[in-house]
Amino acid sequence: MRLLLLLRLALPFLPAAAQQPVAHLQIDAGKIVRQASPRMYGLMTEEINHSYEGGLYAELLSNDTFRGNWMSIAQWGLALKGDAVATSSLDPKDGPSPALPESLELNVASASPASPAGLSNPGYWGIAVRPHTTYTGSFYAEANPAIGPVTIRLIANQTGAVLASTQVALAGAGWRSYSFQLRSGQKASSAENHFELTVAHPGTLHLQLVTLFPPTFDDQPNGNRPDLMEKLAAMHPNFIRLPGGNYLEGNRIEDRFDWEKTIGPLADRPGHQGPWGYWSTDQFGLLEFLEWTQQLHVEPVLAVYAGYSLKGKHVTPGPDLEPYVQSALHEVEYVTGDAHTPWGAQRVRDGHPAPFPLHYIEIGNEDSFDRSGSYPARFAQFAQALRKKYPQYKLIATAPIPQSPAKPGDVPDLLDDHYYKSPEQMFALVHHYDAAPRTGPKVLVGEWATVSATPTPDFGDALGDAAWMTGMERNSDLIKMASYAPLFVNVRNAVWRTNLIGYDALSSYGSPSYYAQCLFAAHMGDAIPQNSLTGLNPSARFFYSVTESRRERLLHLKLVNATTLAHPLQIALQGAGAGAHVATAYSLHGATFEATNTLRNPLAIHPVQSSLHFTGTVLQHTVPALTIEVIDLPLQ
Ligand code: AHR
């Protein structure tokens, strides 16, 4: 004993104990104290970090509508073999549709089958080519057919090897659309490839909307990347909050997500400048957003533009705002109307006969940034029109609306709160809603994330996220829905610091926070039983929540140990019954706060499942250091 004491004095940094003191968690599964929101977890992202174009939306070619910049047509270079001679330029006055009035003009002075001339495209930091795979493409062209046929190839950057190739004959004068298929051979998967489109004769070729798709999720045309869709499905989401975020608002009013310009044939979509530094073609437009929700079996939370844009301009409530209100009414009709309504009929013409389910409409995004103070009046104008035509929907405000003198219909059903915090700030915020009033609007936490690592959360961020989720679950009588943001990052273009799922052209990975969310969402109950934790070291960063699935007779326990000491618990569970029980534990552990997953090491941190055996109503359980655990306990 004396020797130990001496050693401690001599080594002041030696931990006094290898673990935290035992804490006592008492749960009475029979006494429900609050309802929980079993459909709480959802998804949110927008066109940021190449989330759609260069991400979820499977199109492989970048700048497929030939947006020019001050130097050239971005992403499109000349591909000249042998002694071929050609130039390319933007023709501002010749395009296939009013929405796409420009085209790329290729002037070929000299070319032959041995020396073809044409264009190349690098994709989004590469083009993934997989063995024995069919790629489907299309383009609009205007040309003298004698310049053709057009040869299309996928080519390995390092070796020049042709990985897939096909030819398309040109049909005659005027703008025409063409489609083609390419089939790859047996070379191993790689993203270090590019696309080439060439001709073998002199002449002039105008091109627009050149597309190329790999196989998509559920084989949907104009569809989504399967690996990302599978990752989303594993999150057990209940809704997608769409289309943004700042992407809804745009930097200027004219840059807003003007939904009517994002539907219909791709050639009828002009595209628009997004707020995150790049152009959006809107080929992933409103209908693609909605079909995305359908493919994941979730509902949209539809955010409508409410007359405020990021650089501070707002539309004055009253007659000036009315066209925007009408546009929102039309948008809701496009989403939910049947074939007898004008906008429902438009959706049918666009290829989607069935209306989409809808329960929530959000009016704007982060309108507390509107320093003009116009939001309450803007919200009221939208709310009155929406409630008159669609009284069944719940309306979400993005900034507090003063209760007085608002009319009852102008009071939002939910308020959208956003949190981006460091791990320490998240730990400190875990009890934020515990004493919040239960008399006003419910809460959508429409954006939240622990943000320190980039481009995706490390384990310290995951601990912050898991701790925060315990707070949301404890208050899920008030917090009806929650969506982490942003969801996606192409690791070659991380314009936002911390994002849940990372990918490049070829592969993707879930961050530690992603796995924490998968676990929390898959094990969420519909009620909160009486519970208390005593004996907790007040300085220990230890967090928990308890929910109960009443029908399944299962208790879901979430435990977050954000310290470097193990944490023993004595769990007394009224409702477990006598006899032997087996609980299932899912454990996520990181060696340090900085430990993380990457493209190269995608599963460094991943959930591990185990069984916990106990008898009667008491389970002795130790949560290891730096560990997030979800435990399902069977009830009688
Ligand atoms: O999620 C990134 C951005 O953060 C969203 O666009 C915006 O709503 C918030 O400020």
Side-chain angles (χ1 to χ4, degrees):
M1 182 68 189
R2 178 168 294 172
L3 181 68
L4 237 184
L5 196 68
L6 279 177
L7 264 176
R8 274 216 197 118
L9 289 174
L11 295 169
F13 298 117
L14 197 72
Q19 58 180 35
Q20 300 281 3
V22 182
H24 298 262
L25 177 56
Q26 313 262 359
I27 303 166
D28 188 342
K31 286 201 183 128
I32 300 303
V33 292
R34 282 177 180 172
Q35 299 303 307
S37 178
R39 303 179 61 76
M40 186 167 81
Y41 292 106
L43 307 176
M44 189 273 162
T45 195
E46 57 186 322
E47 189 53 275
I48 183 172
N49 307 310
H50 287 276
S51 287
Y52 305 132
E53 299 185 18
L56 179 71
Y57 178 57
E59 165 65 273
L60 293 171
L61 304 182
S62 48
N63 192 20
D64 65 7
T65 52
F66 301 120
R67 294 284 305 167
N69 60 26
W70 63 274
M71 257 171 35
S72 61
I73 300 173
Q75 307 295 340
W76 290 92
L78 278 171
L80 303 175
K81 302 276 158 32
D83 54 10
V85 181
T87 58
S88 72
S89 59
L90 192 72
D91 183 339
K93 293 213 179 86
D94 190 9
S97 67
L100 298 176
E102 310 171 326
S103 59
L104 185 148
E105 179 178 309
L106 179 71
N107 277 305
V108 181
S110 168
S112 67
S115 298
L119 302 159
S120 73
N121 184 285
Y124 290 97
W125 300 279
I127 294 180
V129 179
R130 295 184 165 82
H132 306 297
T133 301
T134 302
Y135 296 80
T136 309
S138 62
F139 60 88
Y140 282 83
E142 183 192 52
N144 180 337
I147 196 174
V150 170
T151 299
I152 289 169
R153 293 191 186 98
L154 288 169
I155 296 179
N157 294 346
Q158 296 302 329
T159 62
V162 176
L163 305 174
S165 172
T166 193
Q167 286 201 327
V168 184
L170 294 171
W175 279 100
R176 290 167 185 257
S177 71
Y178 300 88
S179 56
F180 59 87
Q181 286 198 332
L182 296 168
R183 178 119 184 118
S184 62
Q186 63 175 12
K187 285 246 162 55
S189 298
S190 133
E192 290 175 30
N193 312 302
H194 66 275
F195 170 91
E196 281 190 6
L197 182 157
T198 57
V199 291
H201 304 96
T204 301
L205 174 66
H206 282 90
L207 288 166
Q208 185 49 284
L209 198 49
V210 184
T211 75
L212 182 70
F213 280 82
T216 59
F217 182 78
D218 267 356
D219 291 326
Q220 291 299 312
N222 203 43
N224 297 331
R225 236 174 99 157
D227 60 333
L228 295 178
M229 287 296 282
E230 282 153 19
K231 285 196 170 58
L232 297 184
M235 290 177 73
H236 302 275
N238 294 291
F239 66 89
I240 303 178
R241 175 175 172 251
L242 59 87
N246 290 166
Y247 185 59
L248 172 73
E249 306 164 86
N251 279 331
R252 302 167 307 165
I253 293 172
E254 56 268 42
D255 298 330
R256 69 189 181 281
F257 184 79
D258 195 355
W259 70 273
E260 284 177 46
K261 296 183 181 157
T262 74
I263 57 173
L266 300 189
D268 292 346
R269 304 186 194 184
H272 76 283
Q273 181 61 43
W276 297 106
Y278 57 97
W279 183 258
S280 171
T281 65
D282 289 326
Q283 290 162 19
F284 193 86
L286 179 61
L287 189 57
E288 286 75 22
F289 272 106
L290 295 168
E291 287 175 339
W292 178 28
T293 64
Q294 190 177 42
Q295 288 160 14
L296 287 173
H297 311 290
V298 304
E299 280 195 17
V301 169
L302 181 70
V304 297
Y305 179 74
Y308 172 73
S309 289
L310 293 165
K311 288 207 166 146
K313 282 262 160 37
H314 76 278
V315 183
T316 309
D320 289 353
L321 192 63
E322 207 42 37
Y324 299 91
V325 174
Q326 289 306 314
S327 174
L329 290 171
H330 294 162
E331 186 173 4
V332 175
E333 187 175 286
Y334 185 83
V335 176
T336 63
D338 65 25
H340 302 103
T341 62
W343 284 104
Q346 180 62 51
R347 188 199 62 245
V348 177
R349 284 195 293 281
D350 291 343
H352 198 99
F356 292 92
L358 185 71
H359 287 92
Y360 295 94
I361 301 172
E362 180 159 10
I363 298 174
N365 178 63
E366 293 191 340
D367 284 85
S368 45
F369 284 109
D370 173 11
R371 301 290 175 226
S372 75
S374 71
Y375 186 60
R378 286 189 289 110
F379 179 86
Q381 197 169 334
F382 276 86
Q384 282 158 21
L386 284 163
R387 289 205 201 278
K388 190 165 166 206
K389 188 155 182 212
Y390 299 108
Q392 68 272 37
Y393 300 138
K394 301 252 184 263
L395 300 184
I396 305 170
T398 75
I401 304 289
Q403 297 289 307
S404 160
K407 299 195 206 101
D410 300 347
V411 176
D413 300 295
L414 289 93
L415 191 60
D416 181 0
D417 288 344
H418 293 180
Y419 301 93
Y420 293 103
K421 303 283 176 193
S422 69
E424 291 304 327
Q425 288 170 327
M426 248 353 176
F427 298 142
L429 209 63
V430 165
H431 295 283
H432 180 67
Y433 286 102
D434 288 1
R438 265 44 183 182
T439 47
K442 302 286 187 198
V443 173
L444 154 70
V445 183
E447 297 179 26
W448 65 271
T450 307
V451 289
S452 71
T454 199
T456 49
D458 61 15
F459 195 70
D461 291 329
L463 288 165
D465 288 342
W468 173 246
M469 286 191 282
T470 66
M472 290 201 293
E473 291 194 358
R474 188 170 45 255
N475 291 285
S476 66
D477 59 322
L478 176 66
I479 301 173
K480 289 293 166 198
M481 296 183 287
S483 40
Y484 181 103
L487 190 59
F488 286 139
V489 60
N490 187 317
V491 298
R492 305 294 292 267
N493 184 248
V495 298
W496 186 268
R497 183 168 185 79
T498 310
N499 314 276
L500 200 63
I501 297 171
Y503 48 85
D504 64 6
L506 188 65
S507 52
S508 56
Y509 69 99
S511 62
S513 288
Y514 164 82
Y515 287 111
Q517 269 193 67
C518 291
L519 289 178
F520 273 57
H523 304 273
M524 177 69 193
D526 54 36
I528 300 175
Q530 187 173 296
N531 64 82
S532 63
L533 183 64
T534 52
L536 189 67
N537 171 358
S539 63
R541 293 177 304 199
F542 184 87
F543 311 92
Y544 83 104
S545 66
V546 190
T547 62
E548 191 173 317
S549 290
R550 282 174 286 191
R551 215 161 28 156
E552 288 90 346
R553 306 298 304 138
L554 261 188
L555 194 96
H556 310 291
L557 186 57
K558 318 279 169 61
L559 303 167
V560 181
N561 183 1
T563 72
T564 50
L565 294 180
H567 209 306
L569 285 179
Q570 179 173 295
I571 304 168
L573 173 56
Q574 291 302 313
H581 312 292
V582 186
T584 309
Y586 306 87
S587 189
L588 195 63
H589 169 75
T592 65
F593 262 46
E594 290 74 21
T596 196
N597 295 342
T598 59
L599 273 178
R600 283 180 169 222
N601 199 354
L603 292 171
I605 295 170
H606 64 277
V608 175
Q609 187 177 333
S610 62
S611 297
L612 305 179
H613 297 264
F614 67 107
T615 305
T617 56
V618 178
L619 166 64
Q620 310 283 354
H621 178 65
T622 295
V623 187
L626 298 181
T627 296
I628 298 163
E629 280 191 341
V630 174
I631 304 178
D632 276 354
L633 294 139
L635 295 173
Q636 223 172 12

